[in-house]
Amino acid sequence: MTTTTPVTYTHPSVLAGIAAGADWADPTMDPTLIDWTTRQAHAAIPFTVIDGRPVNPCQQTPVRYGRNELGHWGEQLCADALVSLTDTSGHRWILLIERADGHGWALPGGYVDPGETPGHAAARELAEETGLTIPHATWAIEPPRYVPDPRASDEAWMVTVLARTHLGTYAAGTFPAIAHADDAAQAAWIRADTYDALTAHLPCCDIFAAHRPLLTSALNPANL
C-alpha cells in the first residue's frame, strides 16, 4: 500500500510579503490563531474549519498545509471587471491585462478591500490596472464563484465576483484609451466573439489559468 505525505508549502514571496508588512498577506503563520468564526460568517462561499485550520470548500490541491502562493488564510474575496464593446462590424472586444507575474492574460481585478463592495472593487481595480474610468457605467454583478487558481492550497483559496458592463458601439480607432499600470505588464482590447476567438487574438502568452473557466462561461453566447 502506498501512502502519500501531505505537502506543506508557503511560497517565499508570501513570506517576504509578511516580513515587509504587505496588506495582502495575513501576518500570522499559525492559522489556528485566527478568528475563524468571524471569517466564516463573512465568507462568500461557506467553508469548514478543522482543528483550527481552514479547508478549501471546492478543490483538493497538491498543497495540503500552508498558503502556497496566496497571502490570505482561507477565502480571499476578489472582484474582476469584464468590460466589453462592439465594433461597427458587430464584433465584440473585451479589455484584458497581461499580468506582470507571468501568469498570462486576465481580466482586470483584485482584492475586495474591507468595507468595499465587489462592484466598487472591480471599478477601482479597472482604473488602477488599465487607466480606464467609467463613472457612469451600469454594472451587472454576478454571484460569487470559486476560482481554480494554480496558486491556491487546501488552506488558502480565491473566490471572485464578476462585474460586467458593455460600453456600446465604437468605430475602429476610437476605442476608449487605456494604459497599463499597477500589476499589469500591458493592457489591450482583444477581439472576443467567443472564447476560442479570444485566445486566437491574444498577442502573446495564454489566458491566466484561474480565469479560463470564468471567461469560457462569460463568452458563451447563451450567457450574453
Side-chain angles (χ1 to χ4, degrees), residues 109-124:
Y111 297 164
V112 177
D113 291 336
E116 187 177 36
T117 66
H120 283 117
R124 174 180 54 75

Side-chain angles (χ1 to χ4, degrees), residues 22-41:
D23 58 5
W24 53 266
D26 276 327
T28 180
M29 291 298 297
D30 183 354
T32 66
L33 301 177
I34 291 173
D35 177 6
W36 286 112
T37 299
T38 298
R39 292 200 182 185
Q40 286 176 294

Side-chain angles (χ1 to χ4, degrees), residues 114-206:
E116 187 177 36
T117 66
H120 283 117
R124 174 180 54 75
E125 291 285 346
L126 174 69
E128 291 175 358
E129 295 181 345
T130 73
L132 181 63
T133 58
I134 40 177
H136 302 298
T138 299
W139 293 93
I141 308 299
E142 298 193 354
R145 69 182 79 198
Y146 177 77
V147 179
D149 197 305
R151 302 167 299 170
S153 74
D154 289 4
E155 298 189 311
W157 59 92
M158 293 285 200
V159 171
T160 196
V161 173
L162 183 65
R164 303 175 63 142
T165 191
H166 186 71
L167 302 184
T169 301
Y170 288 76
T174 69
F175 291 6
I178 52 176
H180 68 88
D182 197 31
D183 296 330
Q186 62 176 314
W189 290 103
I190 310 292
R191 185 168 155 181
D193 296 305
T194 63
Y195 181 79
D196 287 342
L198 171 67
T199 58
H201 285 90
L202 291 176
C204 65
C205 314
D206 200 356

